[in-house]
Amino acid sequence: MEFRIEQDTLGEVSVPRYALWGASTQRSVNNFKIGVERDKMPEEIIRAFAHLKLGAARANRTLSPLKMTEEKLMAISAACERIASGDLSEHFPLVVWQTGSGTQTNMNVNEVIANYASREFGIKLHPNDDVNMSQSSNDTFPSAMHIAAYLAIQDRVLPEIKSLILEFERLEKENEGVIKCGRTHLQDATPISFSQEISGWRASLERDFGMISDSSCELLSLALGGTAVGTGLNAPEGFDTLAAKEIASITGYPFTSDENKFHALSSKAELAHVHGALKALAADLMKIANDVRWLASGPRNGLGEIFIPANEPGSSIMPGKINPTQCEALTMVAAEVMGNDVTVGIAASQGNFELNVYMPVAIYNFLRSATLLSEAMASFRENCASGILANYEQMKKNLDSSLMLVTALTPHVGYENGARIAKLAYEKSITLKEATLMLGLMSGEDFDEIFHPEKMI
């Protein structure tokens, strides 16, 4: 590989000749060989930086036209467009495990933009003086975090929740009037309709949708303009609001300038709050997936009340075995998100004085959760939920054998006598009617008039 020599305030450093990055980026490559193959800075952050750098350049063009000339703005715009499209992804080699402020990633973006302008247009841009004008890593990285997190929520997570809600709505309508045994504590309970059970899944996702959507609005406030410690040093007056307005125009979302930059630089409460809503979604998805695999258990020695798609062989030794693999994948994702929430929470607590220095790991885990949840919901919907079918025969069989149907009799025989009926029916493996008659608590005609499981829902 051929190299070129770049220079920064620490001296000279060798950089691959092909690379658009410069000395600062190369020093990070050299010094942080941690998780290199798997833990690159998320591409969502790089795209967010492209939007941010373009918005900042436009604001500087308006506020500092002598420094940010039209020619420089044109070159920055072209570079940002290429970065946002992913065309220059090979020039962003840094890992998450770097400085906790994300300074090296900010400089990576600055250097790529500057070198792209030089190579493509012959325009001399300085990565600090021009591309990073009116900015600091301390306000750009948290701003990029909010932009990336908000876009992930709006463009990926919420649409997938909505799609799964619609799938459950379809399944709900398809199973109206189908009566089955309800269950609490994993034990038989009073009857429920299958559509009512599904409606619980749907409503849980609707609540999650609302909580995530509402909380994500907190991410619309940007730290940009606070520069190093929140005072806005070296940024022209009005830069923060104008840059946020430009970013809103670029992304199509209503980003604004945070009213208190001291908070914006040091606190990551908003990110932790939204991730908490993602954790709530994960908890509900865990519950739904577990319900589905319990209901599908068997096929002969389990509950067997629903059929799920047979997507692949389930065993390397047991022929014909089919497993609830989509449920298992979804629950593993839920477990991962719950673990990520711990990391995000701990990272958010490390806002020492004027700056949080756990930002890369916080956004890394946030974006990983958003991606995993989105993809897992899509996979579960396409490969499992869309193919769920009720096993009406098994539902009726389980319902008819449920001892908890005795609850319909308690207003007429009392709680204690109801317990006697259920206990006798269980001990002698007889029906509730037979037990009731054996105990002399009711005539057969009265039992038949009262006992209607379909009316218990």
Side-chain angles (χ1 to χ4, degrees), residues 33 154 293 352:
K33 300 185 189 309
Q154 297 299 321
R293 61 174 166 180
N352 308 123

Side-chain angles (χ1 to χ4, degrees), residues 253-329:
Y253 291 113
F255 290 102
T256 60
S257 177
D258 197 299
E259 293 181 356
N260 191 310
K261 304 299 190 299
F262 307 102
H263 159 80
L265 268 61
S266 61
S267 173
K268 296 294 156 276
E270 294 88 350
L271 200 77
H273 181 50
V274 181
H275 197 278
L278 292 180
K279 182 180 71 171
L281 170 63
D284 279 332
L285 290 172
M286 175 81 81
K287 187 269 184 199
I288 292 166
N290 280 333
D291 282 357
V292 169
R293 61 174 166 180
W294 272 106
L295 291 172
S297 61
R300 291 188 173 178
N301 295 320
L303 295 180
E305 292 188 347
I306 64 173
F307 301 108
I308 58 175
N311 294 325
E312 60 271 320
S315 173
S316 62
I317 189 173
M318 294 175 281
K321 193 173 190 296
I322 300 298
N323 296 331
T325 52
Q326 289 295 320
C327 298
E328 291 164 3

